Amino acid sequence: DYELCEEWGHLYPVPREDLINLHREHLLHLLEMGDMEKALQLLQRIEDPGVCLAISEQCLDQHPNLAASHFLADYLTAHFYASLTTARRNEIQALYIGSKVLLTLPELSRVNYVHLSSRPLLMLEQLLMNMKVDWVALAVQTLHQLLAGQEIGFTVEDIDNLLSKYAEKALNFPFTLKEKRS
C-alpha cells in the first residue's frame, strides 16, 4: 500500500506534509520489520533533501526500536551533519553511541538500559552501580573507539573520571580496621 501511494504521489500533486507523513509511516514500518536495506532505498528515492531530513528526524523522535534508532542516527549523521544544529548533532551522536553500547550488552538485558540509549555516560554509570563489570569493560572499549575525534557532550576523560570515582567508592570502607593485639 505504501508503494502504491508513493506511485500515486509521482502521478498527481500531493501536499508536502502528506508526502512527509506517507514516507515517515512507510519508513517506520520498514524499520519495525527490520528491513534496513529497503529503508535505505526509500530514503535514497526521496529527491528533496529537506523532506528526507524531516522524515528521518521525525522517525527518530518517535523512538523506534534499538536497531531502527541506531540506523536513523547513523543515517542522519552521515547525510545531514552540516544541516543539523550543534545541539541536535550532539543529541543524535549520543543516541548513535548509546545504541551501539546497548548492542554490546546481552540481548535479554538491553531492555533494562534502553531508556538510557541517548545518555551513554549515564548508562555506563548505571552499569557500574549494578556491578556489571564485564559489561562495563565492553562498554568502555566501545566508547573509546567511538569517541575518537568526536564531540558529543562528553569525552574519554569524563569516562575515566567516572570509572575513577566508582573505583574510589569501591575501596572506601565505612569502618576502620582494628588490629588485634596479643
Side-chain angles (χ1 to χ4, degrees):
D1 291 345
Y2 290 118
E3 289 164 2
L4 178 63
C5 289
E6 189 177 336
E7 286 178 35
W8 185 268
H10 290 298
L11 298 173
Y12 298 98
V14 177
R16 179 182 162 94
E17 286 305 310
D18 291 341
L19 195 61
I20 289 173
N21 290 336
L22 166 70
H23 287 309
R24 182 188 65 235
E25 293 305 317
H26 188 190
L27 182 60
L28 284 171
H29 171 73
L30 292 172
L31 292 173
E32 290 300 322
M33 299 298 291
D35 197 343
M36 303 305 172
E37 187 63 35
K38 282 190 179 178
L40 183 59
Q41 290 170 1
L42 170 66
L43 289 169
Q44 290 171 342
R45 279 195 311 266
I46 300 170
E47 295 171 4
D48 184 351
V51 170
C52 192
L53 173 62
I55 292 164
S56 301
E57 281 195 290
Q58 287 176 19
C59 286
L60 186 64
D61 290 339
Q62 289 190 7
H63 306 291
N65 64 39
L66 179 61
S69 294
H70 187 71
F71 171 83
L72 289 166
D74 186 36
Y75 183 82
L76 283 164
T77 303
H79 293 87
F80 298 105
Y81 189 82
S83 303
L84 302 168
T85 64
T86 303
R88 183 68 171 161
R89 218 179 287 150
N90 288 347
E91 179 185 327
I92 290 170
Q93 286 181 319
L95 181 62
Y96 174 79
I97 289 173
S99 61
K100 190 77 166 177
V101 169
L102 269 174
L103 289 170
T104 66
L105 301 180
E107 192 171 340
L108 295 175
S109 302
R110 292 177 191 160
V111 69
N112 298 327
Y113 301 97
V114 74
H115 65 285
L116 299 172
S117 62
S118 62
R119 306 194 51 207
L121 204 56
L122 192 57
M123 185 188 320
L124 184 62
E125 187 167 7
Q126 187 71 47
L127 289 169
L128 284 167
M129 289 191 299
N130 291 341
M131 304 292 286
K132 305 293 185 186
V133 180
D134 295 338
W135 298 357
V136 169
L138 280 172
V140 168
Q141 182 181 5
T142 302
L143 286 169
H144 278 271
Q145 291 170 354
L146 293 172
L147 286 176
Q150 290 198 30
E151 293 180 26
I152 63 162
F154 67 94
T155 62
V156 173
E157 289 79 27
D158 293 327
I159 295 169
D160 292 344
N161 289 339
L162 182 67
L163 293 173
S164 296
K165 175 180 153 185
Y166 278 88
E168 182 181 313
K169 286 183 180 202
L171 297 174
N172 189 8
F173 296 105
F175 56 90
T176 58
L177 298 173
K178 293 184 180 181
E179 193 177 307
K180 288 187 177 181
R181 298 179 188 238
S182 58

